[in-house]
Amino acid sequence: MNNRGLPNLEYLLQGSILESAAEHLMHRLKGLCDNVDTSPEAFHDMEVCMSLHQPNSNQPLLLRVRRALGRDAPFQIRYLGQPEVDQRRPTLVRSCIDCACTDSIMEFLTEMGFRIEFEYIAKGYMFRKGRMKITVSKLIKIVPGKQQDMANEPISQSYIVELSVVAPTGQENVGEEMRLFAEQLKPLVQLEKIDYKRLGSMP
């Protein structure tokens, strides 16, 4: 949260790229992003979406819990508000709150009445360009007993590409900055603002 106690805003563009073209995109990103002399930051995380159905509301409260696999790091919990798809803005915008937490968070949320909606493993690479974060990752379906094994089934053969910025309210120039960066990734990947209300699901 920012200093005034208000949620930050996440500005987001998303796309996908076939596995056969992922290496070309990674090469492009290495040339465009910061720290070109070092390798991008690898990540291997498990994410669980928890929901709590609230009285007098058609929308459940959704929280995301993410933890790193294979390394010692705090669990992360994230709240995401309903996305705003404004045709005048170049990106999707949604409120967000991020917080580090202990490894007992899943048990705590379950005792509060939260239930697991879905879970998956995300494995890939993260790049940074100023305040922008770019991730290229493959989503992997969790098979019971094989959470950390790459033998788990990929949800698709494509990589998910996300360009995002988390910033305080009022920084409308963020979207234009992201649009210009996304233009430099064409035609390898087309990053768009995806209206999940129309698709009937959330990312």
Side-chain angles (χ1 to χ4, degrees):
M1 298 179 71
N2 58 32
N3 293 333
R4 290 179 290 180
L6 298 173
N8 285 317
L9 292 179
E10 180 183 53
Y11 299 80
L12 181 67
L13 291 172
Q14 295 172 300
S16 64
I17 188 170
L18 292 175
E19 188 170 13
S20 58
E23 186 175 344
H24 296 288
L25 177 62
M26 298 275 286
H27 183 74
R28 175 77 61 85
L29 286 169
K30 285 179 182 178
L32 292 173
C33 293
D34 301 332
N35 301 321
V36 294
D37 295 330
T38 61
S39 299
E41 181 182 339
F43 63 88
H44 186 191
D45 298 341
M46 184 177 76
E47 182 161 307
V48 182
C49 179
M50 308 280 290
S51 68
L52 177 66
H53 290 276
Q54 306 170 90
N56 305 319
S57 174
N58 294 326
Q59 294 288 342
L61 173 62
L62 298 177
L63 295 176
R64 308 291 185 102
V65 178
R66 180 173 280 228
R67 70 180 180 94
L69 300 176
R71 64 185 178 91
D72 186 20
F75 280 52
Q76 298 287 327
I77 188 169
R78 165 172 260 214
Y79 164 77
L80 292 172
Q82 289 296 316
E84 302 173 16
V85 182
D86 187 336
Q87 296 306 317
R88 295 169 297 177
R89 284 174 162 168
T91 70
L92 179 146
V93 180
R94 57 190 179 186
S95 59
C96 72
I97 301 174
D98 295 289
C99 184
C101 53
T102 66
D103 57 8
S104 62
I105 185 62
M106 296 289 294
E107 180 182 352
F108 175 74
L109 291 175
T110 300
E111 290 178 355
M112 289 183 63
F114 281 83
R115 296 292 179 265
I116 294 177
E117 287 287 328
F118 57 84
E119 54 187 335
Y120 61 86
I121 290 171
K123 186 170 186 177
Y125 297 93
M126 180 176 69
F127 300 81
R128 291 194 180 276
K129 176 67 173 178
R131 56 182 171 178
M132 292 184 287
K133 181 175 76 172
I134 307 95
T135 59
V136 181
S137 61
K138 182 163 282 193
L139 303 185
I140 302 163
K141 180 181 179 180
I142 292 177
V143 177
K146 295 185 179 180
Q147 287 185 357
Q148 299 186 43
D149 191 338
M150 281 303 292
N152 286 315
E153 304 171 16
I155 293 175
S156 80
Q157 294 305 311
S158 298
Y159 280 81
I160 302 298
V161 183
E162 293 188 336
L163 169 60
S164 64
V165 171
V166 174
T169 303
Q171 299 192 20
E172 294 299 324
N173 60 325
V174 170
E176 182 63 15
E177 182 182 337
M178 293 171 62
R179 185 191 68 79
L180 293 174
F181 184 84
E183 287 290 327
Q184 298 180 72
L185 301 181
K186 294 178 180 178
L188 287 173
V189 63
Q190 176 81 27
L191 296 179
E192 303 173 302
K193 50 181 179 182
I194 299 174
D195 188 351
Y196 286 94
K197 288 182 181 179
R198 290 186 177 181
L199 298 178
S201 62
M202 286 287 289

